[in-house]
Amino acid sequence: MGHHLNKAFKFGVGMALSAGLVCNASADDKIKVGFMLPYTGTYAALGNAITNGFKQYVAEQGGKLGGREIEYFTVDDESDPAKATENANKLVKRDKVDLLVGTVHSGVALAMAKVARESKTLLIVPNAGADEITGPLCAPNVFRSSFTNWQPAYAMGKVAAQKGYKKVVTLTWKYAAGLQSIEGFKEAFEQSGGKVVKDMTLPFPNVEFQPFLTEIASLKPDAVFVFFAGAGAAKFVKDYAAAGLNKTVPLLGSGFLTDGNLDAMGDSGKSLQTTLHYADGLDNKKDQAFRLTYAKTYKMQPDVYAVQGYDAAQLYSAGLKAAGGDAGKQAEVIKGMEAAKIDSPRGAFTLSKAHNPVQDIYLREVQGGQNKVIGIPTKALADPARGCKL
Amino acid sequence: MDFASFLIQMLNSLQYGLLLFLVASGLTLVFGIMGIINLAHGSFYMIGAYLAFVLTSATGSLFLAILLGIPLTFIVGAFLEWALFSHLYKREHLEQVLLTYGLILIFEELRSLLVGDEVHGVDIPAIFSASIPLSDVLSYPVYRLVISGVCIVLAVALYFVIQRTRLGMMIRAGNHDRTMVEALGININMIYRVVFALGFALAALAGMLAAPISSVFPNMGSHVLIISFVIVVIGGIGSVWGALIAALVIGFADTFGKVLMPDYAGMVVYLVMAVVLLWRPEGILKKG
């Protein structure tokens, strides 16, 4: 009995001591930021852009956030959901990071959010658009600096209705990002009196589109709304043009249809209209300065992913300032982040209750190899965050 | 579906089926006839597509790119056979799988280092860039029809070489009993080197021809690898005609699957494979 008590006492003292040590450490040492992003594979360029953006903001603050130096930890998530929990735990348990930043792939991000919720680690998602992260699975310590799949698509639904389209056909890969985009589009378009006459899907990442082009030609809708991204999007746009459909049935898309693949599309992409929370040619000093510095530092042009990384750093900086630079005071950091008004290159934004940006969505048109802004169909659009209890 | 749409979908199926045959043709040779399990077939296809992109950018013409690309890939294929594959014929399938899987990783990494990870497009040659109107709103790209034509020519040529020439006989005999063929004084090593190089060049040619319609992007080979194996297996290992028929069957199943039962479109191809293999476990046209 006495032996047990003794042991328990020692254990308690040990805990108290180590807790004290942690407190001391967090006041003096560097703040630990853990990037869990894709650095190899298809999304490698996106992971690098996010990292670059984040580091650019930190560098602009003299290498410090909230007056504290930053130490980076990096894990390549390989966009592999099967390894996601283990990878997130490397940063959370082994490196004991104060802030977890990641990632691009929605499936991986969902697993990260789970780890963050259980370990109470602060998480900022700098890209993955899965509605759930700031919807049914939202949490006090989970933030997003990018968008929900719903947001840009909803804006395009409004645009389609304003253009006077009545009958629209949708097409996407049958996976979460695609289906959530279609839902967003449909919601806005049907609220405004339009009708989606047919939803078509194909398995991801299948790119044999001919059967669907034939279907579209026989249905003769007023317009087609699609969600595709990357190489598949480039192929779809080319096939659509080669089938001559672009002459009679306008093609509308959620932003990623024309991001990072305009070269591959060539002429087929000309004057395509898409909606997204970022665009080329924004009339905004912050954006111009951001682009100039980015191009100088990294010898390439920034994109929407770099902006999202940059804003993740801004968001965390706002939280740290509110907590006086003490990353250990998580409640205060969170309050600071919730109240922040982020002066983003995309235009200023605030956060919704569910911790997703409330932001303008731009209507863009492909002109001269760029996604030029041509309008703002929805100002300060908030995701409905259905199922979030925050 | 009205009748006109039905006819156009038939055309889509046919054209897709022929494209699949083109992609699988190199594998028919290397896996089907030589009996090497070549997981790197998709990488050969990817190499072809990237060659088309690089050489078209350099020369300004896809024709020139293909004319340069075929001998180039043939030489690389012969080299690979000499350096790596020639040591594998007498070994187990597992070792072939390990080697060719390793090659996938090496080729992808080389691709990343040399050309980068971006998505690229290759322009359709100007003389084939037109489209033929099929209905009031839909037209059909001429280039796709050209590819279909190339596939048919290739199928006939392959069949002729394998079944009707002395070289073809030696290849088939070598696959049947390598030792006996050697004993008869035929240089089987040289024959295999040529056939493997031809298989590499065919896969690369498929990649080069498909580049303008599929775009050029990382990991593109993995998309075609599985479907190529499906085609060779259900066609009957070792049969060129079998592979052609199988490619057409898959083309029809995939196209009409997408239109008629979109929720199960991802499964249809594999359902067809299961049914064919239950009905004929050795494939549609198994050669003895």
Side-chain angles (χ1 to χ4, degrees), chain B residues 216-244:
Chain B
V216 176
F217 55 96
N219 294 317
M220 63 187 295
S222 62
H223 292 203
V224 304
L225 178 66
I226 307 282
I227 200 79
S228 298
F229 269 100
V230 168
I231 287 167
V232 174
V233 169
I234 70 175
I237 292 169
S239 165
V240 176
W241 281 149
L244 180 62

PDB file of all heavy atoms in Angstrom, chain B residues 216-244:
ATOM      1  N   VAL B 216      -0.847  15.711 -70.678  1.00  0.00           N
ATOM      2  CA  VAL B 216       0.357  15.040 -70.203  1.00  0.00           C
ATOM      3  C   VAL B 216       0.522  15.423 -68.737  1.00  0.00           C
ATOM      4  O   VAL B 216       0.597  16.600 -68.421  1.00  0.00           O
ATOM      5  CB  VAL B 216       1.567  15.518 -71.032  1.00  0.00           C
ATOM      6  CG1 VAL B 216       2.852  14.924 -70.508  1.00  0.00           C
ATOM      7  CG2 VAL B 216       1.368  15.156 -72.496  1.00  0.00           C
ATOM      8  N   PHE B 217       0.526  14.430 -67.852  1.00  0.00           N
ATOM      9  CA  PHE B 217       0.535  14.764 -66.427  1.00  0.00           C
ATOM     10  C   PHE B 217       1.176  13.644 -65.614  1.00  0.00           C
ATOM     11  O   PHE B 217       1.252  12.504 -66.069  1.00  0.00           O
ATOM     12  CB  PHE B 217      -0.886  15.038 -65.930  1.00  0.00           C
ATOM     13  CG  PHE B 217      -1.863  13.924 -66.198  1.00  0.00           C
ATOM     14  CD1 PHE B 217      -2.142  12.984 -65.233  1.00  0.00           C
ATOM     15  CD2 PHE B 217      -2.498  13.816 -67.434  1.00  0.00           C
ATOM     16  CE1 PHE B 217      -3.027  11.954 -65.481  1.00  0.00           C
ATOM     17  CE2 PHE B 217      -3.393  12.795 -67.687  1.00  0.00           C
ATOM     18  CZ  PHE B 217      -3.655  11.857 -66.699  1.00  0.00           C
ATOM     19  N   PRO B 218       1.649  13.965 -64.387  1.00  0.00           N
ATOM     20  CA  PRO B 218       2.302  12.954 -63.555  1.00  0.00           C
ATOM     21  C   PRO B 218       1.386  11.755 -63.293  1.00  0.00           C
ATOM     22  O   PRO B 218       0.167  11.916 -63.205  1.00  0.00           O
ATOM     23  CB  PRO B 218       2.568  13.706 -62.242  1.00  0.00           C
ATOM     24  CG  PRO B 218       2.629  15.134 -62.624  1.00  0.00           C
ATOM     25  CD  PRO B 218       1.671  15.293 -63.763  1.00  0.00           C
ATOM     26  N   ASN B 219       1.972  10.600 -63.165  1.00  0.00           N
ATOM     27  CA  ASN B 219       1.241   9.370 -62.859  1.00  0.00           C
ATOM     28  C   ASN B 219       0.212   8.973 -63.908  1.00  0.00           C
ATOM     29  O   ASN B 219      -0.698   8.195 -63.626  1.00  0.00           O
ATOM     30  CB  ASN B 219       0.516   9.474 -61.511  1.00  0.00           C
ATOM     31  CG  ASN B 219       1.496   9.583 -60.377  1.00  0.00           C
ATOM     32  OD1 ASN B 219       2.505   8.872 -60.351  1.00  0.00           O
ATOM     33  ND2 ASN B 219       1.241  10.482 -59.453  1.00  0.00           N
ATOM     34  N   MET B 220       0.299   9.526 -65.108  1.00  0.00           N
ATOM     35  CA  MET B 220      -0.714   9.195 -66.109  1.00  0.00           C
ATOM     36  C   MET B 220      -0.653   7.716 -66.485  1.00  0.00           C
ATOM     37  O   MET B 220      -1.645   7.137 -66.894  1.00  0.00           O
ATOM     38  CB  MET B 220      -0.592  10.085 -67.339  1.00  0.00           C
ATOM     39  CG  MET B 220       0.702   9.950 -68.102  1.00  0.00           C
ATOM     40  SD  MET B 220       0.834  11.200 -69.418  1.00  0.00           S
ATOM     41  CE  MET B 220      -0.498  10.733 -70.517  1.00  0.00           C
ATOM     42  N   GLY B 221       0.523   7.108 -66.303  1.00  0.00           N
ATOM     43  CA  GLY B 221       0.672   5.705 -66.652  1.00  0.00           C
ATOM     44  C   GLY B 221      -0.179   4.790 -65.790  1.00  0.00           C
ATOM     45  O   GLY B 221      -0.702   3.783 -66.271  1.00  0.00           O
ATOM     46  N   SER B 222      -0.349   5.155 -64.532  1.00  0.00           N
ATOM     47  CA  SER B 222      -1.084   4.258 -63.642  1.00  0.00           C
ATOM     48  C   SER B 222      -2.542   4.147 -64.074  1.00  0.00           C
ATOM     49  O   SER B 222      -3.194   3.144 -63.800  1.00  0.00           O
ATOM     50  CB  SER B 222      -0.982   4.750 -62.199  1.00  0.00           C
ATOM     51  OG  SER B 222      -1.555   6.020 -62.086  1.00  0.00           O
ATOM     52  N   HIS B 223      -3.048   5.178 -64.759  1.00  0.00           N
ATOM     53  CA  HIS B 223      -4.443   5.121 -65.202  1.00  0.00           C
ATOM     54  C   HIS B 223      -4.657   4.045 -66.268  1.00  0.00           C
ATOM     55  O   HIS B 223      -5.732   3.470 -66.356  1.00  0.00           O
ATOM     56  CB  HIS B 223      -4.875   6.466 -65.786  1.00  0.00           C
ATOM     57  CG  HIS B 223      -4.944   7.544 -64.763  1.00  0.00           C
ATOM     58  ND1 HIS B 223      -5.716   8.666 -64.914  1.00  0.00           N
ATOM     59  CD2 HIS B 223      -4.324   7.681 -63.575  1.00  0.00           C
ATOM     60  CE1 HIS B 223      -5.568   9.444 -63.862  1.00  0.00           C
ATOM     61  NE2 HIS B 223      -4.734   8.878 -63.047  1.00  0.00           N
ATOM     62  N   VAL B 224      -3.642   3.829 -67.099  1.00  0.00           N
ATOM     63  CA  VAL B 224      -3.838   2.898 -68.209  1.00  0.00           C
ATOM     64  C   VAL B 224      -3.368   1.488 -67.871  1.00  0.00           C
ATOM     65  O   VAL B 224      -3.729   0.534 -68.534  1.00  0.00           O
ATOM     66  CB  VAL B 224      -3.116   3.367 -69.491  1.00  0.00           C
ATOM     67  CG1 VAL B 224      -3.561   4.763 -69.875  1.00  0.00           C
ATOM     68  CG2 VAL B 224      -1.624   3.318 -69.336  1.00  0.00           C
ATOM     69  N   LEU B 225      -2.567   1.358 -66.809  1.00  0.00           N
ATOM     70  CA  LEU B 225      -1.970   0.060 -66.498  1.00  0.00           C
ATOM     71  C   LEU B 225      -3.031  -1.011 -66.226  1.00  0.00           C
ATOM     72  O   LEU B 225      -3.028  -2.086 -66.836  1.00  0.00           O
ATOM     73  CB  LEU B 225      -1.032   0.189 -65.296  1.00  0.00           C
ATOM     74  CG  LEU B 225      -0.401  -1.120 -64.856  1.00  0.00           C
ATOM     75  CD1 LEU B 225       0.529  -1.646 -65.931  1.00  0.00           C
ATOM     76  CD2 LEU B 225       0.339  -0.960 -63.542  1.00  0.00           C
ATOM     77  N   ILE B 226      -3.948  -0.703 -65.322  1.00  0.00           N
ATOM     78  CA  ILE B 226      -4.933  -1.703 -64.903  1.00  0.00           C
ATOM     79  C   ILE B 226      -5.803  -2.117 -66.087  1.00  0.00           C
ATOM     80  O   ILE B 226      -6.006  -3.310 -66.347  1.00  0.00           O
ATOM     81  CB  ILE B 226      -5.848  -1.129 -63.794  1.00  0.00           C
ATOM     82  CG1 ILE B 226      -5.010  -0.563 -62.662  1.00  0.00           C
ATOM     83  CG2 ILE B 226      -6.818  -2.200 -63.298  1.00  0.00           C
ATOM     84  CD1 ILE B 226      -4.438  -1.557 -61.724  1.00  0.00           C
ATOM     85  N   ILE B 227      -6.293  -1.112 -66.811  1.00  0.00           N
ATOM     86  CA  ILE B 227      -7.204  -1.418 -67.911  1.00  0.00           C
ATOM     87  C   ILE B 227      -6.475  -2.234 -68.983  1.00  0.00           C
ATOM     88  O   ILE B 227      -7.060  -3.127 -69.601  1.00  0.00           O
ATOM     89  CB  ILE B 227      -7.835  -0.118 -68.475  1.00  0.00           C
ATOM     90  CG1 ILE B 227      -9.106  -0.423 -69.259  1.00  0.00           C
ATOM     91  CG2 ILE B 227      -6.891   0.670 -69.331  1.00  0.00           C
ATOM     92  CD1 ILE B 227     -10.296  -0.660 -68.395  1.00  0.00           C
ATOM     93  N   SER B 228      -5.167  -1.987 -69.159  1.00  0.00           N
ATOM     94  CA  SER B 228      -4.411  -2.764 -70.141  1.00  0.00           C
ATOM     95  C   SER B 228      -4.330  -4.227 -69.722  1.00  0.00           C
ATOM     96  O   SER B 228      -4.502  -5.133 -70.543  1.00  0.00           O
ATOM     97  CB  SER B 228      -2.992  -2.210 -70.284  1.00  0.00           C
ATOM     98  OG  SER B 228      -3.024  -0.889 -70.743  1.00  0.00           O
ATOM     99  N   PHE B 229      -4.093  -4.472 -68.449  1.00  0.00           N
ATOM    100  CA  PHE B 229      -4.048  -5.857 -67.979  1.00  0.00           C
ATOM    101  C   PHE B 229      -5.413  -6.525 -68.130  1.00  0.00           C
ATOM    102  O   PHE B 229      -5.518  -7.688 -68.523  1.00  0.00           O
ATOM    103  CB  PHE B 229      -3.571  -5.919 -66.518  1.00  0.00           C
ATOM    104  CG  PHE B 229      -2.085  -6.065 -66.402  1.00  0.00           C
ATOM    105  CD1 PHE B 229      -1.286  -4.976 -66.125  1.00  0.00           C
ATOM    106  CD2 PHE B 229      -1.492  -7.294 -66.603  1.00  0.00           C
ATOM    107  CE1 PHE B 229       0.089  -5.105 -66.039  1.00  0.00           C
ATOM    108  CE2 PHE B 229      -0.106  -7.439 -66.513  1.00  0.00           C
ATOM    109  CZ  PHE B 229       0.677  -6.342 -66.229  1.00  0.00           C
ATOM    110  N   VAL B 230      -6.467  -5.769 -67.810  1.00  0.00           N
ATOM    111  CA  VAL B 230      -7.822  -6.314 -67.950  1.00  0.00           C
ATOM    112  C   VAL B 230      -8.034  -6.782 -69.388  1.00  0.00           C
ATOM    113  O   VAL B 230      -8.533  -7.883 -69.635  1.00  0.00           O
ATOM    114  CB  VAL B 230      -8.882  -5.252 -67.566  1.00  0.00           C
ATOM    115  CG1 VAL B 230     -10.274  -5.702 -67.984  1.00  0.00           C
ATOM    116  CG2 VAL B 230      -8.834  -4.970 -66.075  1.00  0.00           C
ATOM    117  N   ILE B 231      -7.621  -5.953 -70.334  1.00  0.00           N
ATOM    118  CA  ILE B 231      -7.846  -6.276 -71.746  1.00  0.00           C
ATOM    119  C   ILE B 231      -7.050  -7.501 -72.162  1.00  0.00           C
ATOM    120  O   ILE B 231      -7.582  -8.420 -72.794  1.00  0.00           O
ATOM    121  CB  ILE B 231      -7.493  -5.049 -72.618  1.00  0.00           C
ATOM    122  CG1 ILE B 231      -8.589  -4.008 -72.442  1.00  0.00           C
ATOM    123  CG2 ILE B 231      -7.328  -5.439 -74.079  1.00  0.00           C
ATOM    124  CD1 ILE B 231      -8.238  -2.653 -72.969  1.00  0.00           C
ATOM    125  N   VAL B 232      -5.786  -7.571 -71.780  1.00  0.00           N
ATOM    126  CA  VAL B 232      -4.971  -8.719 -72.185  1.00  0.00           C
ATOM    127  C   VAL B 232      -5.506 -10.004 -71.546  1.00  0.00           C
ATOM    128  O   VAL B 232      -5.578 -11.051 -72.190  1.00  0.00           O
ATOM    129  CB  VAL B 232      -3.486  -8.483 -71.811  1.00  0.00           C
ATOM    130  CG1 VAL B 232      -2.662  -9.727 -72.103  1.00  0.00           C
ATOM    131  CG2 VAL B 232      -2.936  -7.308 -72.594  1.00  0.00           C
ATOM    132  N   VAL B 233      -5.934  -9.898 -70.289  1.00  0.00           N
ATOM    133  CA  VAL B 233      -6.414 -11.107 -69.599  1.00  0.00           C
ATOM    134  C   VAL B 233      -7.742 -11.587 -70.170  1.00  0.00           C
ATOM    135  O   VAL B 233      -7.908 -12.773 -70.461  1.00  0.00           O
ATOM    136  CB  VAL B 233      -6.536 -10.845 -68.077  1.00  0.00           C
ATOM    137  CG1 VAL B 233      -7.284 -11.973 -67.404  1.00  0.00           C
ATOM    138  CG2 VAL B 233      -5.144 -10.703 -67.478  1.00  0.00           C
ATOM    139  N   ILE B 234      -8.700 -10.678 -70.356  1.00  0.00           N
ATOM    140  CA  ILE B 234      -9.982 -11.191 -70.862  1.00  0.00           C
ATOM    141  C   ILE B 234      -9.924 -11.502 -72.350  1.00  0.00           C
ATOM    142  O   ILE B 234     -10.719 -12.292 -72.850  1.00  0.00           O
ATOM    143  CB  ILE B 234     -11.208 -10.301 -70.530  1.00  0.00           C
ATOM    144  CG1 ILE B 234     -11.199  -8.995 -71.297  1.00  0.00           C
ATOM    145  CG2 ILE B 234     -11.356 -10.066 -69.067  1.00  0.00           C
ATOM    146  CD1 ILE B 234     -12.460  -8.196 -71.037  1.00  0.00           C
ATOM    147  N   GLY B 235      -8.950 -10.924 -73.035  1.00  0.00           N
ATOM    148  CA  GLY B 235      -8.816 -11.256 -74.454  1.00  0.00           C
ATOM    149  C   GLY B 235      -8.255 -12.654 -74.647  1.00  0.00           C
ATOM    150  O   GLY B 235      -8.467 -13.277 -75.688  1.00  0.00           O
ATOM    151  N   GLY B 236      -7.573 -13.137 -73.649  1.00  0.00           N
ATOM    152  CA  GLY B 236      -6.888 -14.423 -73.789  1.00  0.00           C
ATOM    153  C   GLY B 236      -5.418 -14.136 -73.979  1.00  0.00           C
ATOM    154  O   GLY B 236      -5.019 -13.547 -74.989  1.00  0.00           O
ATOM    155  N   ILE B 237      -4.616 -14.553 -72.993  1.00  0.00           N
ATOM    156  CA  ILE B 237      -3.196 -14.206 -73.016  1.00  0.00           C
ATOM    157  C   ILE B 237      -2.549 -14.771 -74.277  1.00  0.00           C
ATOM    158  O   ILE B 237      -2.690 -15.951 -74.586  1.00  0.00           O
ATOM    159  CB  ILE B 237      -2.516 -14.722 -71.740  1.00  0.00           C
ATOM    160  CG1 ILE B 237      -3.052 -13.920 -70.552  1.00  0.00           C
ATOM    161  CG2 ILE B 237      -1.004 -14.598 -71.842  1.00  0.00           C
ATOM    162  CD1 ILE B 237      -2.687 -14.480 -69.219  1.00  0.00           C
ATOM    163  N   GLY B 238      -1.879 -13.898 -75.019  1.00  0.00           N
ATOM    164  CA  GLY B 238      -1.165 -14.359 -76.210  1.00  0.00           C
ATOM    165  C   GLY B 238      -1.926 -14.143 -77.498  1.00  0.00           C
ATOM    166  O   GLY B 238      -1.421 -14.430 -78.569  1.00  0.00           O
ATOM    167  N   SER B 239      -3.151 -13.611 -77.419  1.00  0.00           N
ATOM    168  CA  SER B 239      -3.920 -13.452 -78.645  1.00  0.00           C
ATOM    169  C   SER B 239      -4.114 -11.984 -78.994  1.00  0.00           C
ATOM    170  O   SER B 239      -4.663 -11.214 -78.205  1.00  0.00           O
ATOM    171  CB  SER B 239      -5.289 -14.115 -78.483  1.00  0.00           C
ATOM    172  OG  SER B 239      -6.145 -13.677 -79.515  1.00  0.00           O
ATOM    173  N   VAL B 240      -3.661 -11.582 -80.179  1.00  0.00           N
ATOM    174  CA  VAL B 240      -3.823 -10.196 -80.618  1.00  0.00           C
ATOM    175  C   VAL B 240      -5.296  -9.899 -80.899  1.00  0.00           C
ATOM    176  O   VAL B 240      -5.839  -8.892 -80.463  1.00  0.00           O
ATOM    177  CB  VAL B 240      -2.971  -9.916 -81.868  1.00  0.00           C
ATOM    178  CG1 VAL B 240      -3.226  -8.511 -82.374  1.00  0.00           C
ATOM    179  CG2 VAL B 240      -1.504 -10.104 -81.546  1.00  0.00           C
ATOM    180  N   TRP B 241      -5.941 -10.837 -81.642  1.00  0.00           N
ATOM    181  CA  TRP B 241      -7.368 -10.627 -81.932  1.00  0.00           C
ATOM    182  C   TRP B 241      -8.176 -10.578 -80.637  1.00  0.00           C
ATOM    183  O   TRP B 241      -9.097  -9.785 -80.487  1.00  0.00           O
ATOM    184  CB  TRP B 241      -7.923 -11.742 -82.823  1.00  0.00           C
ATOM    185  CG  TRP B 241      -7.614 -11.629 -84.284  1.00  0.00           C
ATOM    186  CD1 TRP B 241      -7.449 -12.679 -85.135  1.00  0.00           C
ATOM    187  CD2 TRP B 241      -7.465 -10.442 -85.078  1.00  0.00           C
ATOM    188  NE1 TRP B 241      -7.178 -12.223 -86.403  1.00  0.00           N
ATOM    189  CE2 TRP B 241      -7.186 -10.854 -86.395  1.00  0.00           C
ATOM    190  CE3 TRP B 241      -7.514  -9.084 -84.798  1.00  0.00           C
ATOM    191  CZ2 TRP B 241      -6.968  -9.955 -87.444  1.00  0.00           C
ATOM    192  CZ3 TRP B 241      -7.294  -8.182 -85.836  1.00  0.00           C
ATOM    193  CH2 TRP B 241      -7.031  -8.619 -87.131  1.00  0.00           C
ATOM    194  N   GLY B 242      -7.812 -11.460 -79.705  1.00  0.00           N
ATOM    195  CA  GLY B 242      -8.513 -11.490 -78.414  1.00  0.00           C
ATOM    196  C   GLY B 242      -8.441 -10.138 -77.728  1.00  0.00           C
ATOM    197  O   GLY B 242      -9.443  -9.624 -77.229  1.00  0.00           O
ATOM    198  N   ALA B 243      -7.242  -9.553 -77.736  1.00  0.00           N
ATOM    199  CA  ALA B 243      -7.073  -8.253 -77.095  1.00  0.00           C
ATOM    200  C   ALA B 243      -7.917  -7.190 -77.793  1.00  0.00           C
ATOM    201  O   ALA B 243      -8.525  -6.333 -77.146  1.00  0.00           O
ATOM    202  CB  ALA B 243      -5.601  -7.844 -77.101  1.00  0.00           C
ATOM    203  N   LEU B 244      -7.982  -7.287 -79.125  1.00  0.00           N
ATOM    204  CA  LEU B 244      -8.784  -6.308 -79.867  1.00  0.00           C
ATOM    205  C   LEU B 244     -10.264  -6.450 -79.499  1.00  0.00           C
ATOM    206  O   LEU B 244     -10.937  -5.458 -79.195  1.00  0.00           O
ATOM    207  CB  LEU B 244      -8.580  -6.496 -81.372  1.00  0.00           C
ATOM    208  CG  LEU B 244      -9.360  -5.524 -82.262  1.00  0.00           C
ATOM    209  CD1 LEU B 244      -8.932  -4.083 -81.997  1.00  0.00           C
ATOM    210  CD2 LEU B 244      -9.169  -5.859 -83.737  1.00  0.00           C
TER     211      LEU B 244
END
